[in-house]
Every structure is written in C-alpha cells, then in structure tokens.
Amino acid sequence: MTISFRTGVMPLAVAALLSTPALAEGSKLDEVLARGHLVLGTGSTNAPWHFKSADDKLQGFDVDMGHIIAKALFGDPEKIEYVNQSSDARIPNITTDKVDITCQFMTVTGERAQQVAFTIPYYREGVGLMLKADGKYADYATLKAAGSPVTISVLQNVYAEAMVHAALPEATVDQYDSVDLIYQALESGRADAVATDQSSLAWYMTQNPGRYKDAGYGWNPQTYACAVKRGDQDWLNFVNTALHEAMTGVEFDFYAKSFKTWFGKDLTPPQIGFPVEFK
C-alpha cells in the first residue's frame, strides 16, 4: 500500500517519531558499574584532605568521600583506583575521562561550573583563628577588642593582609612562607593567633589535643564539592544521592566518623521526621 503525504501535513505517528529525543549514550554510572571499581582523582600531600599514612596508604576526608561513593556503587568502599593529580589537573582529568570523579578540596565557582558539573557540597571551608589554650586572649572578641597590639601569623599571600583585616581591622599581620612557620610563630609567642583555613586548624588541634583552641569566628566561606563531567545527569544524580545519604541518611555514621577523625568535631545526627532540607 502506498502512503502519500499531502504538503504541510504529517501523519501523527511520523511526527511522534521525529519529536522523540535520540537515546542518550550510556551513562558513566553504567560504565563504572561494568568496570567494577571507581576511578577517583585526588591529591596526596594535603592533610587532612588527602595524604599518605605511615604505611603509604592514601587517607583523608576527600578520600573518604570516594569511599562513600564506592560503597554506594558496589557495597564495598575499597573498590577505588586512585589517580594522584595536582590541583591544576583536577578539571582536565575530568573532561578527558581520565577519572570518573574528582574529590580534591575543590572550591565551587561559577567559572569552574562552566567546565565541570559540581556535586552537592560535602564541606564548607572558611578562614579561622587558632589561639594557644593558655594564651593571653580568650577568643575572637578579646582579640578584636585588643586592637593593634595583637599579632596574627598567616601564610604569605598577596591577599593575606586584607584577609586578616576583614576580621581584625587593627591587628598586626606577620606573613610567613610556610605553614610550619605560622604555627611556630604562635608557639614561640611571636604571634597571638594563627589565621588559616578552618579545616587546617581543626586538623592541627586534633593532632595536638589540649594545646590550642579555636577563637570561635570564621569568615571568607567557600564550598567544597566533588566534580564530574558535564552532560551526564544520571551519574551526577547518583553521586549526589550517595553524598546526600552520607550526610543525612543511612550512611551518616560513616560521614560523622570521618568528620570526627579529620576535624575533631562530633556532628549532630540528622533530625528524624520532616526532612531538614525543606525547612
């Protein structure tokens, strides 16, 4: 039987076919499941995020995010192949498929979000102040009230002085060219407080219990998230689900234990009942 089309008229069945989106290519999720392990891009030199233990095992909070995702994938948190990468390789390794995902204390920015797809946040970083436990000043309020006699040690950076003065406008700022030196300045009394990332301070205090304290003030917030290749919503949704349930659901105990290990802080369990995300 011959079917003829009148000009400007298209049979409904043909129209439906032409309007149906082409089937998407296989998701990274299917690829990873078929392979049998996750390929995680991260670093190896920045405690408490990603660093080697005494027995050469990669560890840290970023690494634990990989464990969470691997467990969600395979029921086994150890099914991970690590790609040790520098900070400037974090995005290229995603876009070229060298890694499935990067978890490497990566700050979310609009510029980066044009190149990769960010997951939900797993940590919020900021600048903090650390004091000696038996030092002259009790907390942030007393530091600020003291004014110019206060000296703050900070890692050398073009923005260091402005960063400190955003919180302590009158303080004296001493810049050092290594992290070890900013802590030594506090220990020796040359500085009254250290200003650096709050995660670094939390880790340092965890490693030196009872000797130091948090001044109780943070500023310059930035979001840390993992990153995946753009255009694969199934993979992004899966990773988001794994991270979300680690922070709010069935895997909370693992996330909370990791947080305690690396930052020395106990997390309050998610409230039962109405989902906190929608309050």
Side-chain angles (χ1 to χ4, degrees):
M1 183 171 68
T2 302
I3 298 176
S4 61
F5 295 169
R6 288 179 293 164
T7 304
V9 178
M10 184 180 294
L12 292 177
V14 177
L17 269 174
L18 294 178
S19 63
T20 301
L23 291 175
E25 294 182 9
S27 171
K28 174 68 75 172
L29 174 58
D30 302 312
E31 177 188 330
V32 174
L33 288 170
R35 185 197 305 132
H37 67 269
L38 177 71
V39 180
L40 173 69
T42 193
S44 62
T45 58
N46 293 280
W49 295 98
H50 39 261
F51 65 110
K52 295 288 187 72
S53 64
D55 58 356
D56 204 41
K57 184 177 179 180
L58 195 61
Q59 60 183 351
F61 198 63
D62 283 333
V63 176
D64 283 345
M65 297 307 101
H67 289 314
I68 287 168
I69 298 163
K71 186 179 181 185
L73 285 162
F74 308 109
D76 184 348
E78 300 301 326
K79 287 197 170 184
I80 302 176
E81 174 189 341
Y82 297 103
V83 173
N84 185 10
Q85 58 190 20
S86 60
S87 293
D88 60 4
R90 291 178 297 187
I91 288 177
N93 282 354
I94 293 169
T95 58
T96 59
D97 289 312
K98 186 173 182 180
V99 301
D100 300 323
I101 186 168
T102 282
C103 299
Q104 192 174 351
F105 63 7
M106 192 170 179
T107 301
V108 177
T109 68
E111 182 181 7
R112 287 174 173 170
Q114 297 172 41
Q115 303 173 73
V116 295
F118 282 108
T119 66
I120 60 174
Y122 61 86
Y123 188 82
R124 180 138 294 126
E125 185 64 277
V127 181
L129 295 161
M130 186 177 74
L131 305 161
K132 291 187 73 173
D134 58 354
K136 180 179 179 181
Y137 299 100
D139 52 22
Y140 168 71
T142 56
L143 283 171
K144 189 172 182 180
S148 57
V150 168
T151 298
I152 307 299
S153 61
V154 63
L155 192 63
Q156 192 171 33
N157 188 291
V158 66
Y159 306 112
E161 191 158 345
M163 179 189 75
V164 173
H165 285 159
L168 298 168
E170 299 177 30
T172 299
V173 180
D174 281 354
Q175 300 188 42
Y176 296 87
D177 60 10
S178 79
V179 172
D180 289 344
L181 290 177
I182 67 175
Y183 294 136
Q184 288 175 22
L186 175 63
E187 185 62 32
S188 67
R190 297 194 307 276
D192 299 299
V194 168
T196 192
D197 291 343
Q198 288 198 323
S199 62
S200 298
L201 297 181
W203 169 247
Y204 194 78
M205 287 185 283
T206 299
Q207 298 304 295
N208 298 277
R211 293 177 59 184
Y212 304 98
K213 60 184 177 181
D214 191 319
Y217 181 74
W219 71 105
N220 280 14
Q222 54 184 298
T223 298
Y224 287 168
C226 298
V228 298
K229 195 172 185 178
R230 287 179 51 193
D232 189 343
Q233 196 62 47
D234 279 354
W235 179 229
L236 180 61
N237 287 349
F238 178 85
V239 175
N240 281 343
T241 298
L243 293 176
H244 182 271
E245 294 314 301
M247 292 182 281
T248 67
V250 293
E251 297 296 336
F252 175 76
D253 287 347
F254 181 90
Y255 181 88
K257 181 181 178 182
S258 176
F259 205 95
K260 175 72 172 179
T261 298
W262 307 120
F263 307 124
K265 297 178 182 178
D266 293 305
L267 296 178
T268 303
Q271 184 177 340
I272 306 302
F274 191 82
V276 66
E277 298 87 345
F278 300 104
K279 285 188 177 181

Short mmCIF file of all heavy atoms in Angstrom, two decimals, residues 135-173:
data_model
loop_
_atom_site.label_atom_id
_atom_site.label_comp_id
_atom_site.label_asym_id
_atom_site.label_seq_id
_atom_site.Cartn_x
_atom_site.Cartn_y
_atom_site.Cartn_z
N GLY A 135 46.87 30.94 76.34
CA GLY A 135 47.38 32.23 75.88
C GLY A 135 46.69 33.44 76.50
O GLY A 135 45.78 33.32 77.33
N LYS A 136 47.13 34.59 76.09
CA LYS A 136 46.67 35.87 76.65
C LYS A 136 45.24 36.18 76.29
O LYS A 136 44.51 36.82 77.05
CB LYS A 136 47.61 36.97 76.13
CG LYS A 136 47.29 38.37 76.61
CD LYS A 136 48.31 39.35 76.05
CE LYS A 136 48.01 40.78 76.49
NZ LYS A 136 49.00 41.74 75.92
N TYR A 137 44.80 35.73 75.12
CA TYR A 137 43.47 36.07 74.63
C TYR A 137 42.54 34.86 74.65
O TYR A 137 42.94 33.75 74.28
CB TYR A 137 43.57 36.64 73.21
CG TYR A 137 44.41 37.90 73.14
CD1 TYR A 137 45.73 37.84 72.71
CD2 TYR A 137 43.89 39.12 73.55
CE1 TYR A 137 46.52 38.99 72.66
CE2 TYR A 137 44.67 40.27 73.52
CZ TYR A 137 45.98 40.20 73.07
OH TYR A 137 46.75 41.33 73.04
N ALA A 138 41.31 35.12 75.07
CA ALA A 138 40.36 34.02 75.27
C ALA A 138 39.66 33.60 73.99
O ALA A 138 39.39 32.42 73.79
CB ALA A 138 39.31 34.42 76.32
N ASP A 139 39.36 34.59 73.12
CA ASP A 139 38.56 34.27 71.94
C ASP A 139 38.64 35.42 70.92
O ASP A 139 39.41 36.38 71.12
CB ASP A 139 37.10 34.01 72.33
CG ASP A 139 36.50 35.13 73.17
OD1 ASP A 139 37.02 36.29 73.12
OD2 ASP A 139 35.53 34.88 73.90
N TYR A 140 37.84 35.31 69.89
CA TYR A 140 37.84 36.33 68.84
C TYR A 140 37.49 37.70 69.38
O TYR A 140 38.11 38.71 69.00
CB TYR A 140 36.85 35.93 67.74
CG TYR A 140 36.57 37.04 66.75
CD1 TYR A 140 37.53 37.46 65.83
CD2 TYR A 140 35.34 37.69 66.75
CE1 TYR A 140 37.27 38.48 64.93
CE2 TYR A 140 35.07 38.71 65.85
CZ TYR A 140 36.04 39.11 64.95
OH TYR A 140 35.78 40.13 64.08
N ALA A 141 36.50 37.77 70.26
CA ALA A 141 36.06 39.06 70.79
C ALA A 141 37.19 39.78 71.51
O ALA A 141 37.36 41.01 71.35
CB ALA A 141 34.87 38.87 71.73
N THR A 142 37.99 39.06 72.28
CA THR A 142 39.09 39.71 73.01
C THR A 142 40.23 40.09 72.06
O THR A 142 40.91 41.10 72.28
CB THR A 142 39.62 38.79 74.13
OG1 THR A 142 40.01 37.53 73.57
CG2 THR A 142 38.54 38.56 75.18
N LEU A 143 40.44 39.29 71.01
CA LEU A 143 41.43 39.66 70.01
C LEU A 143 41.05 40.97 69.32
O LEU A 143 41.88 41.88 69.17
CB LEU A 143 41.54 38.56 68.94
CG LEU A 143 42.31 37.29 69.29
CD1 LEU A 143 42.11 36.26 68.18
CD2 LEU A 143 43.80 37.57 69.50
N LYS A 144 39.80 41.07 68.93
CA LYS A 144 39.34 42.26 68.21
C LYS A 144 39.37 43.49 69.11
O LYS A 144 39.76 44.58 68.67
CB LYS A 144 37.93 42.03 67.67
CG LYS A 144 37.47 43.13 66.73
CD LYS A 144 36.15 42.78 66.07
CE LYS A 144 35.73 43.88 65.08
NZ LYS A 144 34.44 43.54 64.41
N ALA A 145 38.98 43.30 70.35
CA ALA A 145 38.96 44.42 71.29
C ALA A 145 40.36 44.94 71.59
O ALA A 145 40.55 46.14 71.86
CB ALA A 145 38.26 44.00 72.58
N ALA A 146 41.35 44.07 71.53
CA ALA A 146 42.73 44.48 71.86
C ALA A 146 43.34 45.39 70.81
O ALA A 146 44.27 46.15 71.09
CB ALA A 146 43.59 43.24 72.06
N GLY A 147 42.87 45.29 69.56
CA GLY A 147 43.34 46.19 68.51
C GLY A 147 44.73 45.90 68.00
O GLY A 147 45.14 44.75 67.82
N SER A 148 45.54 46.95 67.81
CA SER A 148 46.84 46.83 67.14
C SER A 148 47.89 46.04 67.90
O SER A 148 48.83 45.52 67.26
CB SER A 148 47.38 48.22 66.82
OG SER A 148 47.48 49.00 67.99
N PRO A 149 47.84 45.91 69.22
CA PRO A 149 48.85 45.07 69.88
C PRO A 149 48.79 43.59 69.50
O PRO A 149 49.74 42.85 69.72
CB PRO A 149 48.54 45.25 71.38
CG PRO A 149 47.89 46.59 71.47
CD PRO A 149 47.06 46.68 70.21
N VAL A 150 47.68 43.16 68.91
CA VAL A 150 47.52 41.77 68.52
C VAL A 150 48.29 41.49 67.23
O VAL A 150 48.18 42.24 66.26
CB VAL A 150 46.02 41.42 68.32
CG1 VAL A 150 45.86 40.07 67.63
CG2 VAL A 150 45.30 41.44 69.66
N THR A 151 49.04 40.38 67.22
CA THR A 151 49.78 39.97 66.03
C THR A 151 49.23 38.63 65.53
O THR A 151 49.09 37.69 66.31
CB THR A 151 51.28 39.82 66.33
OG1 THR A 151 51.80 41.09 66.74
CG2 THR A 151 52.04 39.34 65.10
N ILE A 152 48.95 38.59 64.25
CA ILE A 152 48.40 37.39 63.63
C ILE A 152 49.41 36.85 62.63
O ILE A 152 49.90 37.58 61.75
CB ILE A 152 47.08 37.69 62.89
CG1 ILE A 152 46.08 38.39 63.83
CG2 ILE A 152 46.49 36.41 62.31
CD1 ILE A 152 45.68 37.58 65.04
N SER A 153 49.73 35.56 62.73
CA SER A 153 50.61 34.92 61.75
C SER A 153 49.75 34.29 60.65
O SER A 153 48.69 33.72 60.93
CB SER A 153 51.50 33.86 62.40
OG SER A 153 50.73 32.83 62.98
N VAL A 154 50.22 34.42 59.40
CA VAL A 154 49.43 33.96 58.27
C VAL A 154 50.39 33.54 57.14
O VAL A 154 51.52 34.06 57.06
CB VAL A 154 48.45 35.06 57.79
CG1 VAL A 154 49.21 36.28 57.28
CG2 VAL A 154 47.48 34.55 56.74
N LEU A 155 49.95 32.61 56.32
CA LEU A 155 50.76 32.18 55.18
C LEU A 155 50.88 33.32 54.18
O LEU A 155 49.89 33.99 53.86
CB LEU A 155 50.13 30.96 54.53
CG LEU A 155 50.97 30.20 53.51
CD1 LEU A 155 52.22 29.61 54.15
CD2 LEU A 155 50.13 29.09 52.87
N GLN A 156 52.08 33.53 53.67
CA GLN A 156 52.34 34.65 52.76
C GLN A 156 51.48 34.56 51.50
O GLN A 156 51.40 33.52 50.85
CB GLN A 156 53.81 34.66 52.38
CG GLN A 156 54.26 35.93 51.68
CD GLN A 156 55.77 35.97 51.53
OE1 GLN A 156 56.42 34.94 51.35
NE2 GLN A 156 56.35 37.15 51.62
N ASN A 157 50.82 35.66 51.20
CA ASN A 157 49.91 35.71 50.05
C ASN A 157 49.62 37.17 49.75
O ASN A 157 49.59 38.00 50.66
CB ASN A 157 48.62 34.96 50.39
CG ASN A 157 47.71 34.81 49.20
OD1 ASN A 157 47.13 35.77 48.70
ND2 ASN A 157 47.56 33.57 48.72
N VAL A 158 49.37 37.48 48.49
CA VAL A 158 49.10 38.86 48.13
C VAL A 158 47.85 39.40 48.81
O VAL A 158 47.72 40.60 49.04
CB VAL A 158 48.99 38.99 46.58
CG1 VAL A 158 47.78 38.23 46.07
CG2 VAL A 158 48.93 40.45 46.15
N TYR A 159 46.93 38.48 49.19
CA TYR A 159 45.69 38.90 49.83
C TYR A 159 45.70 38.72 51.35
O TYR A 159 44.70 38.95 52.01
CB TYR A 159 44.51 38.10 49.27
CG TYR A 159 44.40 38.16 47.77
CD1 TYR A 159 44.65 37.03 46.99
CD2 TYR A 159 44.05 39.34 47.11
CE1 TYR A 159 44.56 37.07 45.60
CE2 TYR A 159 43.96 39.39 45.73
CZ TYR A 159 44.21 38.26 44.98
OH TYR A 159 44.12 38.30 43.61
N ALA A 160 46.82 38.27 51.90
CA ALA A 160 46.86 37.87 53.31
C ALA A 160 46.47 38.99 54.26
O ALA A 160 45.66 38.80 55.17
CB ALA A 160 48.25 37.34 53.66
N GLU A 161 47.05 40.16 54.07
CA GLU A 161 46.78 41.26 55.00
C GLU A 161 45.32 41.68 54.94
O GLU A 161 44.67 41.88 55.97
CB GLU A 161 47.70 42.44 54.70
CG GLU A 161 47.66 43.50 55.79
CD GLU A 161 48.90 44.38 55.80
OE1 GLU A 161 49.91 44.02 55.18
OE2 GLU A 161 48.86 45.43 56.47
N ALA A 162 44.79 41.82 53.75
CA ALA A 162 43.38 42.20 53.61
C ALA A 162 42.46 41.14 54.20
O ALA A 162 41.43 41.46 54.80
CB ALA A 162 43.05 42.42 52.13
N MET A 163 42.84 39.87 54.04
CA MET A 163 42.04 38.78 54.58
C MET A 163 41.96 38.87 56.10
O MET A 163 40.87 38.77 56.69
CB MET A 163 42.64 37.44 54.17
CG MET A 163 41.89 36.24 54.69
SD MET A 163 42.80 34.70 54.40
CE MET A 163 44.09 34.81 55.65
N VAL A 164 43.10 39.06 56.76
CA VAL A 164 43.12 39.15 58.22
C VAL A 164 42.35 40.39 58.68
O VAL A 164 41.55 40.33 59.62
CB VAL A 164 44.55 39.17 58.75
CG1 VAL A 164 44.56 39.44 60.26
CG2 VAL A 164 45.25 37.84 58.46
N HIS A 165 42.57 41.50 58.01
CA HIS A 165 41.93 42.75 58.42
C HIS A 165 40.42 42.75 58.21
O HIS A 165 39.70 43.57 58.80
CB HIS A 165 42.58 43.94 57.71
CG HIS A 165 43.92 44.29 58.27
ND1 HIS A 165 44.87 45.01 57.56
CD2 HIS A 165 44.49 44.01 59.47
CE1 HIS A 165 45.94 45.16 58.31
NE2 HIS A 165 45.74 44.56 59.47
N ALA A 166 39.91 41.84 57.39
CA ALA A 166 38.46 41.71 57.25
C ALA A 166 37.84 41.26 58.56
O ALA A 166 36.67 41.59 58.86
CB ALA A 166 38.12 40.71 56.15
N ALA A 167 38.60 40.54 59.38
CA ALA A 167 38.10 40.08 60.67
C ALA A 167 38.66 40.88 61.84
O ALA A 167 37.98 41.12 62.84
CB ALA A 167 38.44 38.60 60.86
N LEU A 168 39.93 41.29 61.71
CA LEU A 168 40.61 42.04 62.78
C LEU A 168 41.24 43.29 62.15
O LEU A 168 42.43 43.30 61.81
CB LEU A 168 41.68 41.16 63.43
CG LEU A 168 41.18 39.90 64.13
CD1 LEU A 168 42.35 38.98 64.48
CD2 LEU A 168 40.38 40.25 65.38
N PRO A 169 40.48 44.35 61.99
CA PRO A 169 40.92 45.53 61.23
C PRO A 169 42.19 46.18 61.74
O PRO A 169 42.94 46.77 60.96
CB PRO A 169 39.73 46.49 61.34
CG PRO A 169 38.55 45.61 61.64
CD PRO A 169 39.08 44.49 62.46
N GLU A 170 42.46 46.09 63.04
CA GLU A 170 43.61 46.80 63.61
C GLU A 170 44.81 45.90 63.89
O GLU A 170 45.86 46.38 64.32
CB GLU A 170 43.18 47.51 64.89
CG GLU A 170 42.08 48.55 64.69
CD GLU A 170 41.63 49.17 66.00
OE1 GLU A 170 42.48 49.26 66.92
OE2 GLU A 170 40.45 49.53 66.11
N ALA A 171 44.68 44.62 63.68
CA ALA A 171 45.75 43.69 64.06
C ALA A 171 46.99 43.87 63.20
O ALA A 171 46.92 44.28 62.03
CB ALA A 171 45.24 42.26 63.94
N THR A 172 48.14 43.52 63.76
CA THR A 172 49.39 43.46 63.02
C THR A 172 49.46 42.10 62.33
O THR A 172 49.19 41.07 62.95
CB THR A 172 50.59 43.62 63.97
OG1 THR A 172 50.49 44.90 64.61
CG2 THR A 172 51.90 43.53 63.21
N VAL A 173 49.82 42.11 61.06
CA VAL A 173 49.84 40.87 60.28
C VAL A 173 51.28 40.51 59.94
O VAL A 173 51.99 41.29 59.29
CB VAL A 173 49.02 41.03 58.98
CG1 VAL A 173 49.06 39.72 58.17
CG2 VAL A 173 47.58 41.42 59.30
#
